[in-house]
Amino acid sequence: MKKSFKAAVACILASVVLCGCASAGVGAVKPKPFNLSAPTEEFKVAQYNQDSVLKDYPLLVGGHAHGAENIRILKDLGLGNFVWIPKYGYALGNTPWDAENGYAQDIDAALESDFYYMVSHKRGLGDEFKKGGSLSGGDTATIYPNTEKDIAKVVSGGDKFIGWQAEELDADFLQTGLRPAFADRVPEVYNFDTPAQARINYETELQRLQKQAYDMGGNFISNQLVTHQLNAFRAGNDIVMSELLEHGVNTELQLAYMRGGKQQFGNDWGVWISPWYYGTIPTADKALWTNDIAQIGGGHKPSSYKRALYESYVSGARVLTNQETEPLFARDELNDGYKTVLWGTELKNFWNYAKNNQETMKPASSFAIMVDRDNGWEPAHLWQDMNIRDSRWAQLPITDGDRMLSEYLNAFLPGYKRTSEAVQQRKDLYPGYFASTPVGNFDIVATDCDPSRLAQYDTVILLGDISMNDILMNTLQTYVNGGGELVINAYQSMQDHQFYEAPDFYGYSFSRYDGWLASDRVNGAGSIRMNTTMAYMPEEVYSANWFFTVNGVVDGAEIVAYTENGVQKDPAVVKNQFGRGTVYLTLTENMMTGLTEVPEPMSFYMDFLRAVVLDNNSYVKSMPAASDAGGTDDYSWMASYQGDDLVVLLSNHGASDGSVTVTLDDEIAKENISVDVGAYTDFETQNIDGKTVITLRLKTEDITLLRVKIS
């Protein structure tokens, strides 16, 4: 299912509405055809886009700037090949929007600098202006530019203009939906009662905004920052941008959605990285940047920016930019010019490396988490804790399946979801904005993924509520039959409240009612005992708060673990061979406790999910051991192919330097291994039992990028 070289990391130790004003053509503007399929409740397999808009483009890297001089400074300082021009009226820095400083001057400066560029033309859902934020029901900026002359100027750059960006769309969706008093401002979006209707409404709105961008003669760039990235891919948005840092969702989690979106749908993606943190952004020159928001020592740290840049790059992002100009440069009075500072220095260093290594990264994600196509879960504690609870499509009740997804993500991203205490004490940078990845990078895909796209992964784990149907069952059976390994819960194999019987697939048949005795179908227990030896399972017996298992008849499957309740023993996990692959069926309800006020995850399944991935993973072959930096808690890692090279990125999120080891499943000569980026470039290698073990050090709050030539 993967490349023959099964390599990578084994151990990591340590209010103007445009509406068609350009539809008849505006100067050089040629409206794009709009032929996307309308969102529907009909379940069908998603189509992969073979013709992404940036496929012939270089890697696009740069800053955010309004004002011709600021754009030229970015060029002079070597800060990439790209500039993000903000929406009209947005300029915290030193340049207003007026007759001398408008679209014409910005576009001319970008083209003179030989920059590619994108232009933000709105923020939020709907068209009417609404000023808000998380407490006031979101914030929508109306579409600009709104004159034919300015639109024609923006698109006059031809291929240098990559498209119109609509900003923070799912943030606005969540902020408005959490405050029902404001939802009537966009009633067509919030008129839903079911998750399927919510998805259709949101994806329909994304397509409506895309039509506006097409009428203005450009591609549509859809910005998401919560957990609705897959909706933007499914809606056919040309380029999907994730906003990292600010007060948004964990970096590694967002990148999992983006990698999965690319794998499932094929559209291009990128990131914008925001320095906003507690109402400030960083600067090193208050005289140049006089606004109150820019503060010396403010905003997110340059080290956070650097880690977000490299993690996005290795994940396969094709556009990498940052918000705000203030963190990038300051006056250089000694040389009567300008110099890079803070984020600008990190951006320049990144571009100096990336411009010589521009080939698209192909993530070597060995496993995927699959969520339902209609999944609308959103994590809590964003925007300085303005949303203190998890939510679902902003206004639907949270289900036990949503809690399952939210809690078991911690098996792969421990501490990814910030707490109220961490937010208020400003200790949420790590864990929170970043999280460790004990088994490496994974992707998030949806249930409408094509079987051929799913076949990339060694293991697929279903999390959250799943609406089973014939098409999805065929996808899962095709995947397993071809050699894949699947983990599915009994409650995810239900259709219209009935178990979807597939005894040949599961090696197990669910019990049918015998009269109305509850014990005929479920049984309670308080512990789980392993029935077979399974590598990477640290315990044999696991206790838990009372939970319930779904009863049935084992028919060919192997019992991996069973429950203990006095003399009563029921299967907790069964394993079945199907074709060339394996199905693990977990039998407790949503893998959660059952007699607690709020269902809780179980330590058995936390270990079990990691163990399944580790046991079948082409990349990870042993659990990390302790390091001198305190174990694995402080590290995240990801592996990708770039051409014939394997690239391994190691991020140290902790407060001290530490040692790590990387184990490759092949013998690699030391001369074929290099530290391309990192504070410590020395490393040791050993060949042990046909594997290569690399030992090196990581600097605190920094990254190391390993390159392994395998051809």
Side-chain angles (χ1 to χ4, degrees), residues 648-674:
V648 181
L649 180 70
L650 307 163
S651 299
N652 181 359
H653 305 303
S656 60
D657 295 1
S659 298
V660 301
T661 65
V662 176
T663 302
L664 309 176
D665 280 350
D666 206 346
E667 292 190 1
I668 307 294
K670 186 172 183 178
E671 57 266 26
N672 290 330
I673 305 170
S674 63

PDB file of all heavy atoms in Angstrom, residues 648-674:
ATOM      1  N   VAL A 648      12.214  14.014   7.347  1.00  0.00           N
ATOM      2  CA  VAL A 648      11.669  13.814   8.687  1.00  0.00           C
ATOM      3  C   VAL A 648      11.824  15.116   9.461  1.00  0.00           C
ATOM      4  O   VAL A 648      12.942  15.618   9.622  1.00  0.00           O
ATOM      5  CB  VAL A 648      12.383  12.668   9.429  1.00  0.00           C
ATOM      6  CG1 VAL A 648      11.776  12.475  10.819  1.00  0.00           C
ATOM      7  CG2 VAL A 648      12.302  11.375   8.629  1.00  0.00           C
ATOM      8  N   LEU A 649      10.711  15.670   9.895  1.00  0.00           N
ATOM      9  CA  LEU A 649      10.725  16.916  10.662  1.00  0.00           C
ATOM     10  C   LEU A 649      10.487  16.598  12.130  1.00  0.00           C
ATOM     11  O   LEU A 649       9.509  15.936  12.488  1.00  0.00           O
ATOM     12  CB  LEU A 649       9.646  17.882  10.171  1.00  0.00           C
ATOM     13  CG  LEU A 649       9.588  19.208  10.925  1.00  0.00           C
ATOM     14  CD1 LEU A 649      10.806  20.071  10.617  1.00  0.00           C
ATOM     15  CD2 LEU A 649       8.310  19.969  10.610  1.00  0.00           C
ATOM     16  N   LEU A 650      11.358  17.094  12.977  1.00  0.00           N
ATOM     17  CA  LEU A 650      11.263  16.908  14.422  1.00  0.00           C
ATOM     18  C   LEU A 650      11.081  18.270  15.061  1.00  0.00           C
ATOM     19  O   LEU A 650      11.872  19.182  14.834  1.00  0.00           O
ATOM     20  CB  LEU A 650      12.536  16.246  14.955  1.00  0.00           C
ATOM     21  CG  LEU A 650      12.943  14.945  14.270  1.00  0.00           C
ATOM     22  CD1 LEU A 650      14.393  14.618  14.570  1.00  0.00           C
ATOM     23  CD2 LEU A 650      12.048  13.812  14.717  1.00  0.00           C
ATOM     24  N   SER A 651      10.027  18.417  15.863  1.00  0.00           N
ATOM     25  CA  SER A 651       9.754  19.687  16.542  1.00  0.00           C
ATOM     26  C   SER A 651       9.861  19.477  18.048  1.00  0.00           C
ATOM     27  O   SER A 651       9.253  18.552  18.590  1.00  0.00           O
ATOM     28  CB  SER A 651       8.348  20.203  16.201  1.00  0.00           C
ATOM     29  OG  SER A 651       8.205  20.438  14.819  1.00  0.00           O
ATOM     30  N   ASN A 652      10.637  20.325  18.695  1.00  0.00           N
ATOM     31  CA  ASN A 652      10.747  20.307  20.152  1.00  0.00           C
ATOM     32  C   ASN A 652       9.927  21.469  20.689  1.00  0.00           C
ATOM     33  O   ASN A 652      10.288  22.631  20.514  1.00  0.00           O
ATOM     34  CB  ASN A 652      12.213  20.435  20.580  1.00  0.00           C
ATOM     35  CG  ASN A 652      12.388  20.402  22.090  1.00  0.00           C
ATOM     36  OD1 ASN A 652      11.419  20.299  22.840  1.00  0.00           O
ATOM     37  ND2 ASN A 652      13.635  20.491  22.539  1.00  0.00           N
ATOM     38  N   HIS A 653       8.812  21.165  21.330  1.00  0.00           N
ATOM     39  CA  HIS A 653       7.944  22.207  21.872  1.00  0.00           C
ATOM     40  C   HIS A 653       8.263  22.534  23.329  1.00  0.00           C
ATOM     41  O   HIS A 653       7.634  23.402  23.924  1.00  0.00           O
ATOM     42  CB  HIS A 653       6.478  21.763  21.779  1.00  0.00           C
ATOM     43  CG  HIS A 653       6.046  21.378  20.401  1.00  0.00           C
ATOM     44  ND1 HIS A 653       6.141  22.230  19.320  1.00  0.00           N
ATOM     45  CD2 HIS A 653       5.512  20.219  19.921  1.00  0.00           C
ATOM     46  CE1 HIS A 653       5.676  21.611  18.241  1.00  0.00           C
ATOM     47  NE2 HIS A 653       5.300  20.408  18.574  1.00  0.00           N
ATOM     48  N   GLY A 654       9.233  21.842  23.891  1.00  0.00           N
ATOM     49  CA  GLY A 654       9.505  21.960  25.312  1.00  0.00           C
ATOM     50  C   GLY A 654      10.445  23.097  25.660  1.00  0.00           C
ATOM     51  O   GLY A 654      10.951  23.825  24.805  1.00  0.00           O
ATOM     52  N   ALA A 655      10.726  23.198  26.959  1.00  0.00           N
ATOM     53  CA  ALA A 655      11.517  24.306  27.493  1.00  0.00           C
ATOM     54  C   ALA A 655      12.982  23.946  27.685  1.00  0.00           C
ATOM     55  O   ALA A 655      13.733  24.714  28.287  1.00  0.00           O
ATOM     56  CB  ALA A 655      10.927  24.769  28.822  1.00  0.00           C
ATOM     57  N   SER A 656      13.413  22.778  27.197  1.00  0.00           N
ATOM     58  CA  SER A 656      14.820  22.402  27.317  1.00  0.00           C
ATOM     59  C   SER A 656      15.235  21.583  26.104  1.00  0.00           C
ATOM     60  O   SER A 656      14.404  20.967  25.431  1.00  0.00           O
ATOM     61  CB  SER A 656      15.059  21.607  28.604  1.00  0.00           C
ATOM     62  OG  SER A 656      14.289  20.423  28.607  1.00  0.00           O
ATOM     63  N   ASP A 657      16.535  21.601  25.827  1.00  0.00           N
ATOM     64  CA  ASP A 657      17.071  20.772  24.763  1.00  0.00           C
ATOM     65  C   ASP A 657      16.904  19.305  25.137  1.00  0.00           C
ATOM     66  O   ASP A 657      16.790  18.953  26.311  1.00  0.00           O
ATOM     67  CB  ASP A 657      18.548  21.067  24.546  1.00  0.00           C
ATOM     68  CG  ASP A 657      18.811  22.480  24.040  1.00  0.00           C
ATOM     69  OD1 ASP A 657      17.834  23.236  23.873  1.00  0.00           O
ATOM     70  OD2 ASP A 657      19.986  22.825  23.821  1.00  0.00           O
ATOM     71  N   GLY A 658      16.910  18.438  24.131  1.00  0.00           N
ATOM     72  CA  GLY A 658      16.786  17.019  24.422  1.00  0.00           C
ATOM     73  C   GLY A 658      17.319  16.154  23.302  1.00  0.00           C
ATOM     74  O   GLY A 658      17.517  16.623  22.169  1.00  0.00           O
ATOM     75  N   SER A 659      17.577  14.893  23.619  1.00  0.00           N
ATOM     76  CA  SER A 659      18.056  13.931  22.643  1.00  0.00           C
ATOM     77  C   SER A 659      16.882  13.162  22.050  1.00  0.00           C
ATOM     78  O   SER A 659      15.906  12.874  22.736  1.00  0.00           O
ATOM     79  CB  SER A 659      19.023  12.946  23.298  1.00  0.00           C
ATOM     80  OG  SER A 659      20.160  13.611  23.800  1.00  0.00           O
ATOM     81  N   VAL A 660      16.991  12.820  20.782  1.00  0.00           N
ATOM     82  CA  VAL A 660      15.967  12.012  20.126  1.00  0.00           C
ATOM     83  C   VAL A 660      16.651  10.941  19.297  1.00  0.00           C
ATOM     84  O   VAL A 660      17.827  11.059  18.944  1.00  0.00           O
ATOM     85  CB  VAL A 660      15.055  12.857  19.206  1.00  0.00           C
ATOM     86  CG1 VAL A 660      14.362  13.945  19.984  1.00  0.00           C
ATOM     87  CG2 VAL A 660      15.845  13.455  18.052  1.00  0.00           C
ATOM     88  N   THR A 661      15.921   9.889  19.005  1.00  0.00           N
ATOM     89  CA  THR A 661      16.396   8.901  18.050  1.00  0.00           C
ATOM     90  C   THR A 661      15.358   8.730  16.965  1.00  0.00           C
ATOM     91  O   THR A 661      14.158   8.835  17.207  1.00  0.00           O
ATOM     92  CB  THR A 661      16.673   7.531  18.694  1.00  0.00           C
ATOM     93  OG1 THR A 661      15.455   6.988  19.166  1.00  0.00           O
ATOM     94  CG2 THR A 661      17.673   7.646  19.815  1.00  0.00           C
ATOM     95  N   VAL A 662      15.835   8.475  15.779  1.00  0.00           N
ATOM     96  CA  VAL A 662      14.988   8.204  14.623  1.00  0.00           C
ATOM     97  C   VAL A 662      15.425   6.860  14.070  1.00  0.00           C
ATOM     98  O   VAL A 662      16.608   6.661  13.794  1.00  0.00           O
ATOM     99  CB  VAL A 662      15.146   9.304  13.551  1.00  0.00           C
ATOM    100  CG1 VAL A 662      14.343   8.961  12.312  1.00  0.00           C
ATOM    101  CG2 VAL A 662      14.767  10.660  14.107  1.00  0.00           C
ATOM    102  N   THR A 663      14.502   5.935  13.939  1.00  0.00           N
ATOM    103  CA  THR A 663      14.832   4.600  13.442  1.00  0.00           C
ATOM    104  C   THR A 663      14.205   4.397  12.069  1.00  0.00           C
ATOM    105  O   THR A 663      12.997   4.556  11.903  1.00  0.00           O
ATOM    106  CB  THR A 663      14.340   3.510  14.404  1.00  0.00           C
ATOM    107  OG1 THR A 663      14.928   3.719  15.680  1.00  0.00           O
ATOM    108  CG2 THR A 663      14.733   2.134  13.894  1.00  0.00           C
ATOM    109  N   LEU A 664      15.022   4.047  11.101  1.00  0.00           N
ATOM    110  CA  LEU A 664      14.570   3.803   9.737  1.00  0.00           C
ATOM    111  C   LEU A 664      14.578   2.304   9.467  1.00  0.00           C
ATOM    112  O   LEU A 664      15.517   1.602   9.858  1.00  0.00           O
ATOM    113  CB  LEU A 664      15.476   4.516   8.731  1.00  0.00           C
ATOM    114  CG  LEU A 664      15.744   6.001   8.989  1.00  0.00           C
ATOM    115  CD1 LEU A 664      16.726   6.541   7.960  1.00  0.00           C
ATOM    116  CD2 LEU A 664      14.449   6.780   8.951  1.00  0.00           C
ATOM    117  N   ASP A 665      13.553   1.834   8.790  1.00  0.00           N
ATOM    118  CA  ASP A 665      13.422   0.399   8.531  1.00  0.00           C
ATOM    119  C   ASP A 665      14.251  -0.045   7.333  1.00  0.00           C
ATOM    120  O   ASP A 665      13.749  -0.715   6.424  1.00  0.00           O
ATOM    121  CB  ASP A 665      11.961   0.031   8.292  1.00  0.00           C
ATOM    122  CG  ASP A 665      11.186  -0.097   9.575  1.00  0.00           C
ATOM    123  OD1 ASP A 665      11.830  -0.087  10.638  1.00  0.00           O
ATOM    124  OD2 ASP A 665       9.956  -0.200   9.525  1.00  0.00           O
ATOM    125  N   ASP A 666      15.489   0.341   7.314  1.00  0.00           N
ATOM    126  CA  ASP A 666      16.416  -0.084   6.271  1.00  0.00           C
ATOM    127  C   ASP A 666      17.805   0.375   6.703  1.00  0.00           C
ATOM    128  O   ASP A 666      17.938   1.255   7.556  1.00  0.00           O
ATOM    129  CB  ASP A 666      16.047   0.530   4.918  1.00  0.00           C
ATOM    130  CG  ASP A 666      16.522  -0.309   3.746  1.00  0.00           C
ATOM    131  OD1 ASP A 666      17.355  -1.211   3.968  1.00  0.00           O
ATOM    132  OD2 ASP A 666      16.069  -0.067   2.618  1.00  0.00           O
ATOM    133  N   GLU A 667      18.813  -0.215   6.122  1.00  0.00           N
ATOM    134  CA  GLU A 667      20.170   0.220   6.420  1.00  0.00           C
ATOM    135  C   GLU A 667      20.549   1.337   5.455  1.00  0.00           C
ATOM    136  O   GLU A 667      20.585   1.138   4.243  1.00  0.00           O
ATOM    137  CB  GLU A 667      21.148  -0.949   6.310  1.00  0.00           C
ATOM    138  CG  GLU A 667      20.954  -1.996   7.389  1.00  0.00           C
ATOM    139  CD  GLU A 667      22.071  -3.024   7.418  1.00  0.00           C
ATOM    140  OE1 GLU A 667      23.019  -2.897   6.600  1.00  0.00           O
ATOM    141  OE2 GLU A 667      22.016  -3.939   8.260  1.00  0.00           O
ATOM    142  N   ILE A 668      20.817   2.513   6.014  1.00  0.00           N
ATOM    143  CA  ILE A 668      21.139   3.700   5.228  1.00  0.00           C
ATOM    144  C   ILE A 668      22.540   4.167   5.588  1.00  0.00           C
ATOM    145  O   ILE A 668      22.866   4.307   6.779  1.00  0.00           O
ATOM    146  CB  ILE A 668      20.137   4.846   5.499  1.00  0.00           C
ATOM    147  CG1 ILE A 668      18.693   4.360   5.308  1.00  0.00           C
ATOM    148  CG2 ILE A 668      20.438   6.044   4.614  1.00  0.00           C
ATOM    149  CD1 ILE A 668      18.336   3.992   3.898  1.00  0.00           C
ATOM    150  N   ALA A 669      23.367   4.396   4.591  1.00  0.00           N
ATOM    151  CA  ALA A 669      24.714   4.904   4.854  1.00  0.00           C
ATOM    152  C   ALA A 669      24.646   6.319   5.413  1.00  0.00           C
ATOM    153  O   ALA A 669      23.787   7.109   5.016  1.00  0.00           O
ATOM    154  CB  ALA A 669      25.539   4.889   3.570  1.00  0.00           C
ATOM    155  N   LYS A 670      25.562   6.632   6.320  1.00  0.00           N
ATOM    156  CA  LYS A 670      25.525   7.933   6.972  1.00  0.00           C
ATOM    157  C   LYS A 670      25.645   9.067   5.967  1.00  0.00           C
ATOM    158  O   LYS A 670      25.052  10.134   6.150  1.00  0.00           O
ATOM    159  CB  LYS A 670      26.627   8.038   8.021  1.00  0.00           C
ATOM    160  CG  LYS A 670      26.557   9.326   8.838  1.00  0.00           C
ATOM    161  CD  LYS A 670      27.521   9.338  10.012  1.00  0.00           C
ATOM    162  CE  LYS A 670      27.351  10.609  10.835  1.00  0.00           C
ATOM    163  NZ  LYS A 670      28.257  10.630  12.019  1.00  0.00           N
ATOM    164  N   GLU A 671      26.397   8.852   4.882  1.00  0.00           N
ATOM    165  CA  GLU A 671      26.563   9.927   3.895  1.00  0.00           C
ATOM    166  C   GLU A 671      25.266  10.253   3.156  1.00  0.00           C
ATOM    167  O   GLU A 671      25.173  11.286   2.478  1.00  0.00           O
ATOM    168  CB  GLU A 671      27.669   9.584   2.894  1.00  0.00           C
ATOM    169  CG  GLU A 671      27.467   8.283   2.146  1.00  0.00           C
ATOM    170  CD  GLU A 671      28.176   7.114   2.814  1.00  0.00           C
ATOM    171  OE1 GLU A 671      28.396   7.169   4.039  1.00  0.00           O
ATOM    172  OE2 GLU A 671      28.518   6.149   2.097  1.00  0.00           O
ATOM    173  N   ASN A 672      24.266   9.392   3.278  1.00  0.00           N
ATOM    174  CA  ASN A 672      22.974   9.655   2.652  1.00  0.00           C
ATOM    175  C   ASN A 672      21.978  10.308   3.609  1.00  0.00           C
ATOM    176  O   ASN A 672      20.802  10.432   3.286  1.00  0.00           O
ATOM    177  CB  ASN A 672      22.385   8.359   2.101  1.00  0.00           C
ATOM    178  CG  ASN A 672      23.148   7.850   0.898  1.00  0.00           C
ATOM    179  OD1 ASN A 672      23.716   8.625   0.134  1.00  0.00           O
ATOM    180  ND2 ASN A 672      23.196   6.533   0.742  1.00  0.00           N
ATOM    181  N   ILE A 673      22.451  10.685   4.781  1.00  0.00           N
ATOM    182  CA  ILE A 673      21.611  11.335   5.783  1.00  0.00           C
ATOM    183  C   ILE A 673      22.204  12.695   6.107  1.00  0.00           C
ATOM    184  O   ILE A 673      23.416  12.823   6.278  1.00  0.00           O
ATOM    185  CB  ILE A 673      21.527  10.487   7.071  1.00  0.00           C
ATOM    186  CG1 ILE A 673      21.046   9.073   6.756  1.00  0.00           C
ATOM    187  CG2 ILE A 673      20.617  11.153   8.092  1.00  0.00           C
ATOM    188  CD1 ILE A 673      21.167   8.115   7.921  1.00  0.00           C
ATOM    189  N   SER A 674      21.356  13.720   6.156  1.00  0.00           N
ATOM    190  CA  SER A 674      21.853  15.056   6.476  1.00  0.00           C
ATOM    191  C   SER A 674      20.862  15.784   7.366  1.00  0.00           C
ATOM    192  O   SER A 674      19.656  15.528   7.309  1.00  0.00           O
ATOM    193  CB  SER A 674      22.095  15.878   5.200  1.00  0.00           C
ATOM    194  OG  SER A 674      20.879  16.074   4.490  1.00  0.00           O
TER     195      SER A 674
END
